Amino acid sequence: MAKKQFKAESKKLLDMMVNSIYTNKDIFLRELISNASDAIDKRYYHALSGDNSGMAREDYKIQIVLDKDARTLTVSDNGCGMTDKELESNLGTIARSGSMDFKAGLENKSEVEIIGQFGVGFYSAFMVSDKVTVESRAAGDAEGHRWVSSGADGYTITPCDKAEVGTTVTLHLKEDTDDEKFSRYLDEYKIREIVSKYSDYIRYPIMMDTETEVPVEGDEEKTETVVKPTQLNSMVPLWRKNKNEITKEEYDTFYQSKFYDWEAPLHTIHSKTEGQISYDALLYIPAHAPFDYYTKEFEKGLQLYTNGVLITEKCAELLPDHFSFVKGLVDSADLTLNISRETLQQDHLLKIIAKNLEKKIKSELEKLLKNDREAYEKFFAAFGLQLKFGLYQGYGVHKDVLKDLVMFRSSNEKKLTTLSEYVSRMPEAQTAIYYACGETADKIDLLPQTAAVKRKGFEVLYCTDDVDEFALQMLHEYDGKHFTNICADNLDLETAEEKEALAKENEDAKDLLTFLKDSLDGAVDAVRFTGKLQDHPVCLTSEGMLSLEMEKVLNAMPNANGNAKAQLVLEINREHPVAATLKALYGTDDEKLKKYAKLLYAQSCLISGKPLDDPTAFSALVCELMV
Ligand code: ADP
């Protein structure tokens, strides 16, 4: 019989499973049981939509059989089964719903991460077995088929007798080694433990014959061992249980096994809502962003159930984009299954639930911020960017939801601060909220403009993400205070006399300043003396709608045409000795003055993080000064 070969990615994954060092091998059983449960779901839905399988819901079950002599563990279901074609396409290749992500993510990942992130489905059977047999008969097929594989060298599919519709997966367990006793999976107790840990909420009974001690009839003193069919799972979905009956560990395990995360969630929200519409929601905030979170491949959504039966795996309507990181599920008896599952005519109900959930998530995050700063900062490190995008999106329509959840570093010890904390620290004389943009907090800290504002005793928000300034601009104001970019706007930090003196100085030096500006060939819109810089000779400031940072961000967009241009002003410190030098050179050595203008402009660019147009020319100029 000719062996068929696995598809390349499948083979890679299979090799990994066969040689697995993953310590938590128990999960293979969870995967097989989940597949069985999914298969029953499929058959049950078909039956609901008119395809008559002739079975009552109570007849569906999953059966586990342990055979110590044959060294096998068998998981059977009476679900939808698979045709020979389906055996081939489902088990011969990675058929996972997220298979594209999977392939993309496989490369630079460790085994633990892969299993943690994706779960590995059916192939995880090869972590514990050296041979796997799948006998399956699809509903509507007269005969069954047997798929057999001993691992990466391929598989065979042949017809076989199978009385019932459904699937039987038989694992021949690997031989025990000094390090690993695979025979533990032949132990009833171990199987009970795994099922109740991972598969307790499975909605169909998971049955196993177990040995039970019973009193001998007629002789109550003695007991004998009888074998009895036993149901291993409670079947009550976790979210249907009372909150006070659920431990943190149960919540965490449920999350990790259901949403394939190797790390426990940062925060769990379990709410039961009664009223206009009643539903249970079990929501989780992950402790870290999934690897594809900030890509367009990422799909948001919550699982949607009605009465414990899954309707949709990812219901996107239930989550706004700014909370797309939330995982979890909603179960509502007010929704109905029997309409089409895809074209749910229940939009308005979903909208109500979604609105409530948004409120709930917001208030839970606010609570976390208030009660557990460390956890909130961890959350913010993972998903803060998404909240800021949310502020920006839709021209700020979500600002009331998000404005108290965002944080920025600030000149206040470079720590994270919320806007309300910032405002609470504002001295009376301060009227605006100051911010500055740059690559890192350290770099912003060194800006001459930052020093000027700090000297006044005012705090500066440090915007280090591209989206920050756009988000603040959408917000426009917080608590009646406007946002002011200290590198863009007129800061109005001087007294009236200082302003007057400065205006006069600029007026007197008008010709010199025009000369300097012209020397820069249109790079800046104006050159001015300033009094705000103290020790720094120069700084670069922008005027008008577009700041330097926005220019940079806009021009870095995928189809930018380079048209975004900030209007720049080169500001020179009137008190710095260099100002005197410039004044002395004007009219006596214009050639030199021209070069100095270029040098000063280049310096202001370097300080503000704007790339030099011509670094070579700059270098040549500096050397000219040295020799
Ligand atoms: P996943 O379950 O994530 O899709 P698996 O590798 O576990 O990935 O399974 C691959 C596919 O094989 C499933 O999507 C399903 O179509 C099919 N399958 C697995 N087990 C069964 C089963 N017991 N009954 C019917 N189909 C199954």
Side-chain angles (χ1 to χ4, degrees), residues 35-36 39 42 77 80-82 90-91 95-97 120-123 167:
N35 281 350
K42 275 186 212 160
D77 65 69
C80 62
M82 288 176 274
N90 291 341
L91 306 185
R96 306 187 58 76
S97 28
V120 284
F122 171 75
Y123 287 161
T167 303

Side-chain angles (χ1 to χ4, degrees), residues 89-368:
S89 62
N90 291 341
L91 306 185
T93 183
I94 296 179
R96 306 187 58 76
S97 28
S99 63
M100 287 318 289
D101 301 358
F102 187 87
K103 281 177 217 163
L106 202 55
E107 299 308 324
N108 310 306
K109 292 246 173 327
S110 76
E111 179 185 338
V112 173
E113 281 177 306
I114 289 178
I115 297 177
Q117 279 188 7
F118 303 100
V120 284
F122 171 75
Y123 287 161
S124 60
F126 285 96
M127 290 199 291
V128 300
S129 36
D130 48 26
K131 182 175 162 194
V132 178
T133 306
V134 180
E135 292 178 327
S136 196
R137 188 178 139 197
D141 263 11
E143 60 170 2
H145 289 89
R146 181 184 292 124
W147 180 100
V148 184
S149 173
S150 300
D153 64 333
Y155 58 91
T156 56
I157 298 176
T158 48
C160 72
D161 287 334
K162 191 163 186 320
E164 307 274 345
V165 168
T167 303
T168 298
V169 179
T170 304
L171 311 188
H172 185 267
L173 296 171
K174 287 184 186 177
E175 288 306 319
D176 290 355
T177 66
D178 289 342
D179 304 329
E180 282 258 38
K181 301 271 173 276
F182 294 100
S183 50
R184 67 182 181 277
Y185 297 121
L186 296 169
D187 176 3
E188 264 175 43
Y189 188 79
K190 177 73 184 168
I191 299 301
R192 272 171 181 271
E193 178 198 302
I194 303 177
V195 171
S196 75
K197 179 163 179 196
Y198 291 111
S199 310
D200 194 50
Y201 57 88
I202 291 286
R203 292 177 303 278
Y204 306 99
I206 302 170
M207 304 299 297
M208 185 168 74
D209 287 346
T210 58
E211 294 182 346
T212 320
E213 297 285 313
V214 293
V216 175
E217 228 175 288
D219 184 355
E220 300 297 321
E221 299 288 286
K222 285 196 188 141
T223 59
E224 60 179 349
T225 310
V226 294
V227 174
K228 276 192 11 189
T230 309
Q231 183 174 326
L232 306 183
N233 56 329
S234 76
M235 282 170 49
V236 180
L238 184 73
W239 60 91
R240 291 278 191 102
K241 294 184 187 167
N242 274 329
K243 279 207 265 191
N244 52 18
E245 285 168 13
I246 309 173
T247 63
K248 178 178 180 320
E249 209 206 336
E250 279 178 291
Y251 276 129
D252 290 358
T253 310
F254 180 82
Y255 164 78
Q256 289 183 257
S257 59
K258 199 150 187 104
F259 300 103
Y260 303 118
D261 197 339
W262 72 93
E263 200 178 347
L266 194 70
H267 190 63
T268 302
I269 306 169
H270 187 187
S271 74
K272 292 172 183 283
T273 307
E274 312 265 324
Q276 184 187 13
I277 169 162
S278 302
Y279 61 89
D280 297 336
L282 180 52
L283 309 179
Y284 291 99
I285 295 170
H288 60 101
F291 77 101
D292 63 348
Y293 185 61
Y294 289 106
T295 71
K296 59 181 189 314
E297 271 74 45
F298 179 81
E299 286 177 55
K300 64 169 183 176
L302 298 177
Q303 292 189 331
L304 185 61
Y305 291 83
T306 181
N307 279 326
V309 180
L310 186 68
I311 306 180
T312 322
E313 186 65 43
K314 262 198 183 153
C315 181
E317 296 93 309
L318 286 173
L319 284 179
D321 279 346
H322 44 270
F323 292 151
S324 60
F325 47 82
V326 174
K327 302 256 181 225
L329 56 91
V330 169
D331 189 350
S332 172
D334 295 343
L335 300 169
T336 45
L337 250 184
N338 53 14
I339 313 177
S340 159
R341 286 206 288 147
E342 278 73 37
T343 60
L344 267 171
Q345 296 295 302
Q346 312 181 56
D347 276 3
H348 64 290
L349 289 184
L350 289 185
K351 283 212 179 86
I352 297 171
I353 299 179
K355 252 298 74 13
N356 289 348
L357 292 182
E358 184 185 23
K359 259 189 240 153
K360 181 76 186 163
I361 296 165
K362 172 181 187 259
S363 77
E364 288 283 326
L365 286 174
E366 282 171 349
K367 246 195 271 169
L368 193 67

Side-chain angles (χ1 to χ4, degrees), residues 399 419 422-423 426 430-435 459 461 472-486 489 491:
K399 63 183 173 195
L419 295 174
Y422 177 101
V423 167
M426 279 171 67
Q430 185 182 350
T431 51
I433 300 176
Y434 295 109
Y435 69 90
E459 187 176 342
L461 295 177
L472 290 182
Q473 299 246 324
M474 274 312 166
L475 256 183
H476 205 58
E477 48 91 23
Y478 181 89
D479 200 19
K481 321 247 173 349
H482 281 85
F483 292 102
T484 303
N485 183 341
I486 62 167
D489 306 282
L491 294 186

